[in-house]
């Protein structure tokens, strides 16, 4: 409840795209040479993309999100090959589009220090 209150206090969910966030994901995509980069905010039952490169949806369910796991960490979460990870091997995003193999997600904290989202890199090949 406190994490969600921290997220909602920012009043950022479902807001229009902003160049300052878009620039971050474009830079991450280029620097790390990945087809997908995004900033996800993790709500109660969904992950919503504030900024994204390489994916066409604005949100997905939290149940199938990698970011829902990453916000439980304090450090960078890396999944070298999602097909081999017991948490994700049968995930719809691994088995189908966007065919996630590699995932790296760093938690983003809100004003009260709760992890409210992630900055993520995704590749369709293991890394």
């Amino acid at each position: 409840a406190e994490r969600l209150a921290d997220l909602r206090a920012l009043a950022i969910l479902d807001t229009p795209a902003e160049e300052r966030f878009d620039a971050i994901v474009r830079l991450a995509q280029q620097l790390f040479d990945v087809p997908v980069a995004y900033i996800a905010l993790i709500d109660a039952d969904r992950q919503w993309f504030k900024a994204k490169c390489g994916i066409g949806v604005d949100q997905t369910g939290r149940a199938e999100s990698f970011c829902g796991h990453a916000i439980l960490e304090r450090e960078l979460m890396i999944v070298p090959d999602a097909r081999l990870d017991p948490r994700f091997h049968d995930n719809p995003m691994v088995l189908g589009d966007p065919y996630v193999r590699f995932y790296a997600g760093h938690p983003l904290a809100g004003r009260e220090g709760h992890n409210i989202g992630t900055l993520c890199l995704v590749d369709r090949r293991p890394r």
Side-chain angles (χ1 to χ4, degrees):
E2 291 175 0
R3 187 192 72 75
L4 291 174
D6 205 2
L7 171 62
R8 293 192 178 121
L10 293 174
I12 196 171
L13 286 172
D14 301 310
T15 58
E18 296 179 55
E19 178 54 29
R20 61 187 173 155
F21 294 106
D22 294 342
I24 292 168
V25 295
R26 281 194 311 269
L27 180 61
Q29 184 185 40
Q30 292 170 0
L31 285 175
F32 294 97
D33 190 27
V34 292
V36 177
Y38 55 88
I39 294 173
L41 300 173
I42 312 303
D43 204 354
D45 59 355
R46 66 179 175 142
Q47 70 175 349
W48 177 75
F49 304 119
K50 176 60 181 167
K52 61 189 191 283
C53 291
I55 53 175
V57 297
D58 293 329
Q59 66 183 20
T60 65
R62 181 173 176 178
E64 65 264 9
S65 77
F66 284 64
C67 300
H69 294 267
I71 64 166
L72 302 176
E73 306 292 328
R74 289 282 171 213
E75 302 283 326
L76 177 67
M77 182 179 108
I78 297 176
V79 178
D81 188 340
R83 293 174 299 186
L84 305 177
D85 191 302
R87 297 170 293 180
F88 305 112
H89 67 85
D90 59 353
N91 185 298
M93 293 190 296
V94 173
L95 299 174
D97 193 40
Y99 298 99
V100 175
R101 294 299 175 262
F102 170 81
Y103 169 89
H106 195 284
L108 303 172
R111 291 184 180 131
E112 298 299 319
H114 302 285
N115 290 342
I116 59 165
T118 53
L119 171 61
C120 303
L121 305 171
V122 172
D123 204 337
R124 293 181 182 99
R125 61 182 174 85
R127 291 173 69 143

